[in-house]
Amino acid sequence: MKAPAFRPRPAPGLGFQAIGAEEEALVLDVLRRKEPFRYYGADPAHPPGMTAQLEQEFRAYIGTDYALAVTSGSAALEVAMAACGIGPGDEVIVTAWSWIACFTSIVRVGARPVLAEIDESFNLDPKEIARLATPRTRAVMVIHYQGVPAAMEPIELEAHRRGLYVIEDCAQSLGSRYRGRQIGTWSDIATYSFQYNKVATSGEGGMVVTRDQRLYERAVRMSDLGSYRPVHAAQVPSREPAFVGGQFRMSELSAAVALAQLRKVDKIRDHCRALQARIVPRIQGLKGLRLRPVADPTGDFGFEIYLLLDRHEHVAPFREKLDARNVNCGARTGTYPQYNRDYVKTGLAHAPGLSPFRDFKDWPAPGYRPEDFPRTEDITKRFLALPLGWRYTAEDADHIADSVIAVHREVIG
Ligand SMILES: *Cc1c(COP(=O)(O)O)cnc(C)c1O
């Protein structure tokens, strides 16, 4: 009988792999109190407190002033956009390489996404702001892609010099840092997700953070049908008029799971960074292959290692050979080039009058076609992503490094 050649494939995953007794205890607490709704419950003497506790610990963890729990990371983006008052006639700069919701949240509030190139960090190239800004630009949305902080200092300087809001989408990178400070503190308003694939999860869920009292009140109103309840007014007295909002309130059950998960984020990060540190030094100097440059390597969460091959025709054989060695390895992780997605190709919103693209004579217009993004196309055709996870061991990490070295010899030589 043929012996298995390689160690078994490790189970991928971050927060969901760490779900255990802590999550169970907090969920049971909500159920036993019969209080699944955040604002009131069965016992008028003891208002529910799980979502409020999550917000309090979240803002302490990030080191910011205000945190608002919502139903998803996508909802968080819409709430952030609305808090900034962005709408029809406005433009928002966002990387072409980003998650669906980055684009759709802008369209959903009636504004127009203006797509920017990434650089080899896979994050926004700060120089794109100067190239793309117009008198209609209101904001720059920065995505911290897969645990790696974007270069927030040049981005923030460039955007704020022009009077633009900076919105950080931290959905993939809770717990990552830039220059010693948590991401999410480098912008006017920032968003997070607790969806299943994220660093910490409650299945679905999201968070909005800000230091700005006006943005906080407007975010609350957007998330709660325009209301601003006493629990929020106790943090920031109301100064803003009511407006028509959506309904994006987090449930106490989601908050219970998210709270237990939040308390594990540093442990998950330390684990991932230790795995990464076993691999990176061994594969760093290989010819014909580079690692994703990181604006601040000390702030990388460490859950994914990116190889950038010099030649795109090496990518498929490299991936196939790694896969054959039971190394988890992706060519598309967490995002896509927006211009290749159906909702961009059609240019439609749910009703014709709402589409910010309705006045373009030809569609897709320049700025929404693959040929308009030569750098993004080039970079995203040359990479391999090696995920690390909570269940990976040091031996798994060593096997990844051994395999990259062996496959490199076979494919690149
Ligand atoms: C996951 C994700 C979102 C959306 O989060 P959901 O909770 O799934 O709605 C937004 N932006 C980025 C970059 C993401 O990865």
Side-chain angles (χ1 to χ4, degrees):
M1 205 186 89
K2 220 171 113 213
F6 304 108
R7 51 183 296 109
R9 196 178 285 273
L14 297 166
F16 77 83
Q17 291 285 17
I19 290 176
E22 301 80 5
E23 286 78 359
E24 284 177 26
L26 293 185
V27 169
L28 275 176
D29 180 55
V30 172
L31 293 176
R32 286 184 178 139
R33 285 188 288 107
K34 300 183 168 51
E35 290 182 334
F37 180 58
R38 79 167 290 187
Y39 289 119
Y40 48 81
D43 180 357
H46 295 279
M50 206 59 83
T51 313
Q53 183 70 23
L54 170 66
E55 290 173 346
Q56 187 190 315
E57 291 192 27
F58 199 92
R59 64 178 182 259
Y61 179 75
I62 300 299
T64 188
D65 291 340
Y66 309 109
L68 174 69
V70 293
T71 43
S72 71
S74 305
L77 284 170
E78 281 188 46
V79 165
M81 217 64 64
C84 296
I86 292 167
D90 296 335
E91 296 174 2
V92 177
I93 296 171
V94 60
T95 41
W97 177 257
S98 48
W99 177 242
I100 298 169
C102 305
F103 188 96
T104 57
S105 65
I106 299 167
V107 174
R108 299 266 306 143
V109 299
R112 186 157 72 85
V114 172
L115 299 179
E117 295 257 41
I118 55 168
D119 62 22
E120 285 198 343
S121 75
F122 287 81
N123 293 328
L124 175 67
D125 177 347
K127 291 193 291 294
E128 287 289 88
I129 299 171
R131 183 173 76 89
L132 297 170
T134 75
R136 291 172 301 281
T137 310
R138 291 287 308 283
V140 177
M141 185 193 291
V142 184
I143 295 96
H144 299 281
Y145 179 60
Q146 296 289 81
V148 169
M152 285 314 295
E153 199 163 75
I155 291 171
E156 196 231 85
L157 281 172
E158 196 62 40
H160 282 163
R161 204 155 61 80
R162 294 180 156 76
L164 308 178
Y165 284 113
V166 179
I167 299 164
E168 277 176 285
D169 180 349
C170 310
Q172 301 178 354
S173 303
L174 170 58
S176 299
R177 294 176 200 163
Y178 175 72
R179 304 213 165 147
R181 237 167 73 196
Q182 286 277 344
I183 58 159
T185 61
W186 290 87
S187 53
D188 300 288
I189 191 161
T191 65
Y192 295 82
S193 165
F194 294 111
Q195 187 267 343
Y196 181 71
N197 294 320
K198 314 295 176 168
V199 167
T201 184
S202 53
E204 302 278 13
M207 191 69 76
V208 180
V209 306
T210 182
R211 286 212 173 86
D212 184 307
Q213 297 199 340
R214 193 180 137 268
L215 295 182
Y216 174 72
E217 180 176 350
R218 289 181 55 90
V220 172
R221 289 189 182 281
M222 183 63 185
S223 74
D224 190 16
L225 300 169
S227 317
Y228 195 64
R229 302 185 198 233
V231 45
H232 300 291
Q235 291 179 67
V236 176
S238 174
R239 290 190 194 87
E240 295 294 310
F243 59 87
V244 170
Q247 204 282 63
F248 305 114
R249 301 180 301 239
M250 182 179 273
S251 108
E252 289 281 282
L253 288 163
S254 299
V257 182
L259 178 57
Q261 287 268 295
L262 175 65
R263 292 170 177 167
K264 297 177 180 179
V265 168
D266 282 346
K267 242 192 310 196
I268 297 171
R269 188 187 56 214
D270 292 348
H271 182 70
C272 289
R273 286 186 62 87
L275 295 169
Q276 193 192 43
R278 287 183 84 90
I279 301 170
V280 166
R282 295 188 54 205
I283 64 174
Q284 212 151 28
L286 296 174
K287 172 171 69 75
L289 169 164
R290 274 169 308 135
L291 296 180
R292 177 184 181 189
V294 176
D296 179 358
T298 66
D300 182 358
F301 197 98
F303 67 78
E304 209 151 50
I305 295 173
Y306 280 72
L307 311 180
L308 273 158
L309 306 190
D310 287 352
R311 297 176 49 188
H312 63 82
E313 64 270 27
H314 285 156
V315 171
F318 211 109
R319 190 177 65 244
E320 281 153 25
K321 286 178 190 293
L322 283 177
D323 196 64
R325 289 168 177 263
N326 288 343
V327 172
N328 293 321
C329 173
R332 282 280 176 277
T333 70
T335 187
Y336 314 86
Q338 298 284 358
Y339 44 75
N340 290 340
R341 308 287 295 181
D342 286 343
Y343 50 79
V344 177
K345 290 187 194 166
T346 63
L348 293 175
H350 70 264
L354 206 65
S355 169
F357 313 113
R358 66 187 179 277
D359 294 334
F360 285 97
K361 221 164 105 282
D362 298 309
W363 190 262
Y368 298 92
R369 309 164 308 180
E371 60 265 38
D372 302 319
F373 300 91
R375 278 165 68 209
T376 300
E377 282 288 285
D378 171 55
I379 293 163
T380 57
K381 286 199 164 79
R382 288 192 292 114
F383 84 91
L384 289 161
L386 306 172
L388 304 172
W390 178 245
R391 300 271 297 275
Y392 282 49
T393 63
E395 292 71 36
D396 293 325
D398 292 343
H399 177 61
I400 292 172
D402 292 343
S403 299
V404 170
I405 292 165
V407 169
H408 174 268
R409 199 180 311 120
E410 288 173 40
V411 175
I412 302 179

